[in-house]
Amino acid sequence: MQTTDEWSCGVSKVMDVFAGKWKLNILWIIYNEEGIRFNQLKNRTVGITNIMLTRSLETLTSEKIISNNLIGNKPPFKSEYYLTTKGKSLVPLMQSLNDWGKNNL
Amino acid sequence: MQTTDEWSCGVSKVMDVFAGKWKLNILWIIYNEEGIRFNQLKNRTVGITNIMLTRSLETLTSEKIISNNLIGNKPPFKSEYYLTTKGKSLVPLMQSLNDWGKNNL
DNA sequence: CGGAATCCCTTGCGATACTG
DNA sequence: CAGTATCGCAAGGGATTCCG
């Protein structure tokens, strides 16, 4: 039997990645639209505000789940978001979560 | 491509089940010790207080993820906790989460 | 266009004490 | 034994405004 310590060790990290109201949703959108831009992401994430999107992207970037390219040195700027390799490894997990949710009311 | 709506529909429910500081850990313990009692659960969940355990169990029960048997009509009481069928269907998901966490520091 | 700064409000978390 | 009742704090979420 797996001990509680081994368990909570692995799981708490994932829950940190998924924690919060928006991050998982944002990940999914970026996955489906690699290179998506800030304002597109904002439009696709219904109900989110600037600050919450910024904070979520900040956190995910610092966790190396996503990365972004800044293009241009004067306005209008461009910023394109991608999943990293680590981020892509989360995709099957997200799909499993989604499937469970759809099958259990 | 899957739409954002289909996605958020399924996932938000799962994240609700897993939300909070203790619920996932409690689920894992109950899974490993079917029929576990309140105070045993409290001892195994390091750092939890009465009220947080009560609240977590309440939520999970109302979501039909766990169930409990109350035994006896006068003190000392017994209360035994189990995973429901729905709760058991979450086990593979929990294991996937744990595996990812262990493999991604 | 892609953010950051500020301020506020709500929610979750928890210590302590008590009860059937 | 298995909870409940209070009260308080801290963190997360968000509206608004402003900036390079």
Side-chain angles (χ1 to χ4, degrees), chain B residues 1 5-6 8-10 17 25 29 33 46 48 56 60-61 64-66 76-77 92 100 103 105:
Chain B
M1 170 188 148
D5 277 352
E6 279 168 11
S8 45
C9 171
V17 174
N25 218 309
I29 296 169
E33 291 185 59
V46 181
I48 202 170
S56 304
L60 290 168
T61 302
K64 312 287 187 197
I65 308 292
I66 64 173
F77 297 113
W100 189 93
N103 293 332
L105 180 70

Side-chain angles (χ1 to χ4, degrees), chain B residues 31-83:
Chain B
Y31 164 62
N32 281 298
E33 291 185 59
E34 290 279 324
I36 194 171
R37 308 251 298 281
F38 186 89
N39 278 325
Q40 295 177 316
L41 205 39
K42 188 181 164 189
N43 291 332
R44 285 195 156 283
T45 314
V46 181
I48 202 170
T49 59
N50 271 357
I51 191 89
M52 288 315 297
L53 181 52
T54 300
R55 285 176 191 166
S56 304
L57 292 173
E58 239 169 1
T59 306
L60 290 168
T61 302
S62 76
E63 292 167 329
K64 312 287 187 197
I65 308 292
I66 64 173
S67 66
N68 75 317
N69 289 338
L70 281 165
I71 301 166
N73 58 350
K74 56 186 67 162
F77 297 113
K78 283 189 176 189
S79 185
E80 303 182 331
Y81 289 91
Y82 304 88
L83 293 189

Side-chain angles (χ1 to χ4, degrees), chain A residues 96-105, chain B residues 9-11 13-14 93:
Chain A
S96 301
L97 289 168
N98 189 35
D99 289 345
W100 189 92
K102 294 211 286 188
N103 292 332
N104 290 273
L105 178 75
Chain B
C9 171
V11 135
K13 288 170 197 152
V14 189
L93 218 44

Side-chain angles (χ1 to χ4, degrees), chain A residues 22-39:
Chain A
W22 305 104
K23 284 160 68 177
L24 201 42
N25 218 311
I26 289 168
L27 280 179
W28 187 253
I29 295 169
I30 296 179
Y31 164 63
N32 280 300
E33 290 186 60
E34 290 279 324
I36 195 172
R37 307 250 300 280
F38 186 90
N39 278 323

